[in-house]
Each structure stands twice: as structure tokens, then as C-alpha cells.
Amino acid sequence: MATNPLSSSGPGPVLEGIVFNYSDNDLILLDQREWYGSVKPPQVIRKESSAKINYDGYSKVGVVYKAKNDINWVLAWSNMSGENNKVFIDITETVVDWSAVEMSLEKSTSHPPPVHKYGSTATAMIDQKNDVAVLTAAFE
């Protein structure tokens, strides 16, 4: 039986995330969606660098970064109480449909396959280590 995160006692697991930008362009935060919890993602991830995303508690969040021209990188994750960790990635030229992202996230796993589109690649995984969810994501 899944635990309701709203009625859980004590702190939830910590999310430790690192996002890598292996591309030749800065990634600029365009949008974010917070289905549960709130995360303050980096506004800019400089080209050929990385940035941290950390959150103390359960979360179900999505972010969109402008990667280049009209290419956007979508990254969404869920580390909710009583559920398996999930991460979703996509590369798109269209405006993000958050309902579709949430449905795709629900069907995803903690290690989805890489996405190759528009000459770019996106990867991500989320591992559970005791009470810490470790998110690693990359755009190249």
C-alpha cells in the first residue's frame, strides 16, 4: 500500500541532483512545473559545465531549458513516498504540454533510455541510496 506523502511523518528523502551541460550553448530555464513539492532549479547552466539541484523532501517536478535555437530540453522527476523513483526526458521544438509530460513521467522508470533528437542527446537516471534520491541528467 502506497504511503500518502501528505500524511507522512518526519522528513522525506533528500534529492541530490546534478545536471550536466555538455553542449556548446548555455541552458536557460524557460519553465517549470511543480506537481508536488517545490524546487529551485538553476536559472542558467553554462555550456560545458554542471549545476546542482537539491531538495529536502519528496518532489514531483518538471523543468524546461532552452538549449539552442528552438530546441528545448525537458527533464521531469518523481521521488514520492511509497513509489518507485521515475525520471522523464525529452528534446522538443514545441511548447511543453505539462499534462502529457506528467502522463509520460508516470509511465517512465528510474533509468529511461537516452533521447536523440535534433542533433542533441538527453540522458537521465535517478537512483535511491538509503534515504537519498540521486538524480543525474545530461544534455549534449
Side-chain angles (χ1 to χ4, degrees):
M1 180 173 170
T3 304
N4 180 346
L6 298 175
S7 64
S8 296
S9 60
V14 173
L15 173 78
E16 292 180 354
I18 188 158
V19 181
F20 296 93
N21 178 4
Y22 295 122
S23 76
D24 294 332
N25 300 297
D26 291 347
L27 299 176
I28 300 166
L29 184 68
L30 286 181
D31 196 9
Q32 72 184 71
R33 179 60 51 107
E34 297 165 335
W35 294 285
Y36 186 83
S38 86
V39 174
K40 293 186 181 186
Q43 294 295 308
V44 176
I45 305 169
R46 299 281 177 216
K47 65 182 181 178
E48 300 177 2
S49 70
S50 63
K52 291 183 180 182
I53 299 174
N54 295 316
Y55 181 72
D56 187 9
Y58 298 109
S59 59
K60 183 177 176 186
V61 178
V63 294
V64 178
Y65 283 94
K66 179 177 178 57
K68 58 185 175 183
N69 301 325
D70 294 325
I71 307 297
N72 299 321
W73 178 35
V74 180
L75 171 64
W77 68 86
S78 175
N79 69 310
M80 298 295 290
S81 176
E83 297 179 10
N84 291 330
N85 293 328
K86 298 173 186 165
V87 65
F88 169 77
I89 46 175
D90 197 11
I91 302 169
T92 181
E93 291 182 311
T94 61
V95 173
V96 173
D97 176 348
W98 286 114
S99 296
V101 170
E102 184 178 25
M103 286 177 23
S104 295
L105 177 60
E106 290 302 316
K107 296 175 187 175
S108 191
T109 67
S110 61
H111 293 82
V115 174
H116 307 283
K117 291 183 181 175
Y118 313 112
S120 297
T121 299
T123 58
M125 67 179 166
I126 187 168
D127 288 319
Q128 190 70 39
K129 297 187 176 162
N130 299 319
D131 63 346
V132 177
V134 180
L135 169 70
T136 307
F139 181 83
E140 42 187 306

